[in-house]
Every structure is written in structure tokens, then in C-alpha cells.
Amino acid sequence: MVSFGLIGDWKPQPGLVTTWTATPESRARVHAAPPHSTPASHIQEEYLKSAYRNRDSGFRFSRLCLVTFDIFEPLDPASMDRAINGFVRRHDTFSTWFVTDDTGVVRHQASADDIELAPTEHGRFDDEEALRVHVQNTTPGPTSWDCFSFGVIDRGEEFTVYAAVDHLDTDGISQALTFFELRSLYTDAVAGTLDVRPCLGSYLEYCARERTASAELSLDSPDVRQWVDLVKANGGDLPSFALPLGALERYTRSEVSTHPLFDRAEGEAFDEACARFGAKFIGGIFAAAAITEYELAGHHTYLGLTPKSTRSMPAEFGAIGWFSSLIPVQFPVSGTQTFSHLAGVAQRAFDAGKALSDVSYHRVLELVTPDMGIRTQPGWSAPMISYVDVRTLPGADIVSSVNGGLFGNQGSSDEVYLWINRFEDETGTTFMYPGTDVARDSVSRYNAKISEILQSVATTGDYSFAQAMTGKTA
């Protein structure tokens, strides 16, 4: 199973550390690049604006994504150098950078040939925390072009590879691709067969396509109207977590907790139960989430959000970048009595929501007028549920055997995020939430309830909540 959590949960074994970062000459060449006409994607632009607004937070406010894995053979430094440089030159997201100020965000683009990362030996690290700090301190934030670093922890007969990339340039699929591609490039370099070519999928082309389509939208566009109607029906804003999170400061540092959910047989049984009720695994998850909110908070209508990869061109499925939008999932809970009654409803709501994922909610907010009753503010956050069938990702068959890990830095949270990750032999839940006593208790209660529902479906074939309807309020 892949290890998930905060970077503080990463347990690297001691060894000699070498880190690859951009050379001064490379930085100079890249920063001389002129402005580029393609804007940032909507999600990148809002991320950069948020980082700019919070630039004085006193800690790394932006998200740093860390991919780690082991290679069980002696390190070949020259081959690793070729693999790392080949990796960053292949993907055009790494050749762009942004200027962000009070007037907005402007993209610049350099040539891939301008990029050069060089190794620096840092000696032996025996202390886990010192190594974790080193990785974060040697990786700039999104206001810098080179908001990525790579390294190895060499133990003689084996070594650990790490790739630390700011969220600006990566997403969940990109992190899986990073594992698979870095490993393959290194193996080819050792064998003398390395042939690095530009990735056929272009993140810049995706950004241009997104912005062209987005510019054609208006308040009369059907998908925009549907987004507005969904949010207005929820009181004019996106949902918040169903249970209290306590008094949050301007910056409340994140916490993460991970829990087992299904073994292999239970996961298969849940999948089969969902199919009987006209749903897929994801529809079953949202049905369980809706029942959880109903039983714990009395919500008669459910509105949830889940991220969706916006990769649509075949070559983009091999591209590194932040290809992401949101699927809204809204449906009534009242009038149903069991999971089996609700699962198909949840699946149809998810399928309908997918049609809206091509329209960024950030763009919707640019179009709405004050009289429309939409209260969502810049820098908004909302709870999200993400389901990933890791079995379908590149390299999934080997990632566990090489101690694969995906970690994030301890930023600030004011909402709750739930990842449900399905592996070959087990399925687990991972929560990220504000680090308060109240939030900790609420997440524990929520996890206990949703796990009870999912487990009941897996082991008995259904879950009844008919009695819970009595006395509940909206």
C-alpha cells in the first residue's frame, strides 16, 4: 500500500543525501523569458492569487507534494542526473513561471533547453526531521519558477528517490506519473537506452483550450445557470463540513489521519452491492456521505464536491500538470430509507455533475452579479471527497513493493478533505482537517459513521436509516 499523509509522516531511512535543483545559470535563462499569451489555468490563477494574498503567513502556505520510492540497487549518479533533467524538460509545465501582483497573474515561458538541474551533495542525514526540513527548504514556492526539487538518499546497496513539486505544477495523476516516469527514465539511463522526447501532452495547450472555452461563457450559458442554481439552493454558497470545526484562526495548521476501511473481499462486495443498486463505487461513496450528514447533522439534501481530472486528449493522460476541476453532486436524502434506495440517486447526481466539471466555478464567480445571491468569496474553500482507484494508475502493480509514498506539507486548513483510496488488497480513508480539538472529534465521529455505513453495505448488502428520519431538521 502507498503511504499517504503529511510530510511529517514520511519516515525516510538514513543515508547520504544528494539534491537536484536549478543551477544559477538556468534560473537566469528562464527568468529572462518573455511573457506568454496563454493565461494560467483557472485553478492555477486562483492558487497563485491565494499564495500572493498569504505571502506573509510565516510558513509555506502553498501546497508541496512529495513523491517517494525506493530502488533496490546501487545508485548510478550520472544516470539519475540524466533521468531528472530529462523528466523536467519533457513536460512544458516546468518551463513556465508566473508573475503575480495586485494586478493579476502573467505567464512567462522559457525553452526546455534553458532548464538545467544540478546535484549538490549534502552529506549523511541520520535524523528524519532534519531530512524532512531539508527537502522543504530546498524547494521554492509557486512565486519561483523552480518550485520543484529532486533527490536521492543513498544507502549503498539501495536508495530512496524523492520528487518535491509545488501543487502549481502537479496533481494526483501527475504524482503517479512522476513515480512511473522517473523510475523508467532512470532504468533506461542505466541501461544506456535513454531517449528523452517531449511529452506529446501539453499542459499549456490544455490551459489555452480551457480559457478559450471559458471566454465564450456567459450568464445565459446552461452550465453556468446550473452552477448558480445549485449554489443558490445551498444558501448561496458552497457546502461546509457537516460538523463543527471549532474556532479557527486565520491560519489553522492542517492535520491528517488515515484509517483502514475494506479488505480486498469487502471492497469487492461493496462494489457488487453498488452495481445491484444501479451505482458504481463512487456513487456508493456519495450515498454513504449523504446518509452520514443526514444522521449526524439532519441534512435532508446533500451537496458534495469531488475533484475531476480534466484530461481529455489522449496524450494528456501522460502529461504532468494541474488538470483539475470540480464535480458538484447534489441530491435529496428525504424520502429514502436505505442505502439501496439512495445509491442509484447518488450515482445519477454524480453523472449529472460531471457535465458541469468543464465549467470552472472560478469562472462562474467572475460572471455572477451581486443581485444573484451568490456569497462565495475569493479564496474560498469547501469540503471535498476524492475517490481514487489506485489499481488503475500507472505503476500501481509495483508501487507498494518499492515503498511508494505521497505526502503533502502541513499547510493551513479551514475545511475537511477526504480521500478514499482503493488498492488491490485494501481500501482506506485519509482525512485532512484543521488541527483543533473540535475538528479532531468531528472528523472521528464522521469517519466512524461513514465507515459503519460502508461496512454494513459490504458485509450485509445494505444499510437502513429509516428510523433516523424521525425528528431530524433541515
Side-chain angles (χ1 to χ4, degrees):
M1 182 174 180
V2 178
S3 298
F4 289 93
L6 295 175
I7 292 178
D9 299 315
W10 179 38
K11 307 294 184 185
Q13 295 298 309
L16 295 171
V17 174
T18 301
T19 298
W20 274 259
T21 55
T23 66
E25 296 79 11
S26 181
R27 290 191 188 97
R29 291 193 299 267
V30 171
H31 285 134
H36 193 276
S37 59
T38 300
S41 67
H42 279 296
I43 198 168
Q44 277 187 317
E45 180 176 348
E46 295 306 318
Y47 179 78
L48 288 162
K49 287 179 177 179
S50 180
Y52 180 75
R53 286 193 301 268
N54 294 281
R55 61 192 180 278
D56 297 323
S57 63
F59 62 97
R60 187 186 185 111
F61 184 82
S62 64
R63 297 293 182 186
L64 181 63
C65 304
L66 179 66
V67 177
T68 68
F69 59 92
D70 291 343
I71 293 180
F72 302 108
E73 60 186 44
L75 171 67
D76 181 338
S79 293
M80 183 57 68
D81 184 77
R82 291 193 292 273
I84 289 172
N85 276 284
F87 176 73
V88 295
R89 291 169 184 157
R90 285 196 73 232
H91 299 283
D92 59 7
T93 191
F94 293 121
S95 63
T96 66
W97 57 282
F98 301 90
V99 173
T100 308
D101 55 27
D102 293 332
T103 64
V105 175
V106 176
R107 182 197 298 274
H108 293 246
Q109 185 183 20
S111 167
D113 294 336
D114 292 331
I115 299 175
E116 182 182 6
L117 274 61
T120 301
E121 296 179 2
H122 295 276
R124 182 178 176 85
F125 280 73
D126 291 310
D127 181 80
E128 291 179 354
E129 180 59 22
L131 182 49
R132 290 190 288 260
V133 170
H134 166 80
V135 170
Q136 295 177 82
N137 287 348
T138 52
T139 311
T143 57
S144 299
W145 152 64
D146 53 330
C147 54
F148 43 83
S149 71
F150 302 83
V152 297
I153 309 166
D154 187 10
R155 294 181 289 275
E157 295 303 312
E158 62 177 39
F159 60 97
T160 296
V161 180
Y162 72 80
V165 181
D166 192 276
H167 206 339
L168 181 73
D169 288 320
T170 192
D171 60 10
I173 291 177
S174 295
Q175 290 162 48
L177 290 169
T178 297
F179 159 77
F180 182 75
E181 189 170 309
L182 263 183
R183 191 172 182 274
S184 297
L185 290 171
Y186 175 76
T187 300
D188 289 347
V190 169
T193 59
L194 182 63
D195 181 16
V196 178
R197 301 181 183 184
C199 179
L200 294 177
S202 167
Y203 186 64
L204 259 69
E205 290 180 8
Y206 161 75
C207 292
R209 189 172 73 247
E210 180 201 53
R211 288 294 189 152
T212 298
S214 186
E216 297 174 353
L217 296 171
S218 71
L219 284 175
D220 294 325
S221 301
D223 290 348
V224 172
R225 291 203 307 269
Q226 287 185 53
W227 261 114
V228 172
D229 290 345
L230 280 171
V231 176
K232 286 179 69 174
N234 196 59
D237 205 353
L238 294 175
S240 57
F241 189 60
L243 298 176
L245 299 177
L248 303 183
E249 301 176 358
R250 182 183 180 191
Y251 301 114
T252 303
R253 303 303 294 274
S254 305
E255 289 188 6
V256 168
S257 60
T258 297
H259 315 272
L261 179 60
F262 295 143
D263 61 23
R264 184 174 190 163
E266 290 166 340
E268 292 173 351
F270 179 78
D271 213 349
E272 292 167 0
C274 291
R276 288 197 301 273
F277 307 141
K280 299 178 182 178
F281 205 105
I282 184 65
I285 288 172
F286 276 105
I291 297 169
T292 297
E293 292 199 6
Y294 180 81
E295 292 198 309
L296 295 181
H299 292 178
H300 286 223
T301 299
Y302 177 80
L303 175 60
L305 299 169
T306 187
K308 173 185 179 291
S309 172
T310 51
R311 292 169 169 85
S312 58
M313 308 298 285
E316 288 173 353
F317 288 88
I320 303 295
W322 197 353
F323 297 83
S324 187
S325 187
L326 292 175
I327 298 174
V329 185
Q330 185 183 58
F331 56 93
V333 183
S334 298
T336 56
Q337 298 180 347
T338 61
F339 175 93
S340 55
H341 291 149
L342 197 60
V345 175
Q347 184 65 51
R348 290 189 291 275
F350 172 81
D351 293 339
K354 283 196 295 185
L356 301 184
S357 64
D358 290 333
V359 174
S360 169
Y361 187 61
H362 297 296
R363 176 58 175 153
V364 173
L365 292 180
E366 292 175 354
L367 293 170
V368 296
T369 56
D371 61 322
M372 298 183 71
I374 302 299
R375 301 183 291 107
T376 310
Q377 297 299 309
W380 57 266
S381 60
M384 297 183 200
I385 297 177
S386 175
Y387 167 64
V388 178
D389 189 345
V390 181
R391 303 171 305 168
T392 66
L393 297 179
D397 56 332
I398 58 174
V399 66
S400 296
S401 65
V402 296
N403 301 321
L406 299 174
F407 305 94
N409 64 308
Q410 188 184 20
S412 175
S413 294
D414 53 13
E415 267 300 345
V416 178
Y417 307 95
L418 167 59
W419 292 268
I420 297 179
N421 299 300
R422 187 178 182 187
F423 298 90
E424 192 66 38
D425 294 322
E426 55 189 321
T427 300
T429 61
T430 297
F431 290 85
M432 178 180 286
Y433 51 91
T436 68
D437 289 339
V438 174
R440 207 171 291 119
D441 178 70
S442 291
V443 167
S444 178
R445 290 173 55 208
Y446 183 99
N447 179 61
K449 176 53 66 175
I450 196 170
S451 296
E452 175 192 352
I453 297 165
L454 295 168
Q455 274 285 331
S456 175
V457 175
T459 56
T460 72
D462 208 347
Y463 178 85
S464 174
F465 58 101
Q467 294 181 353
M469 297 181 64
T470 305
K472 291 290 186 182
T473 59

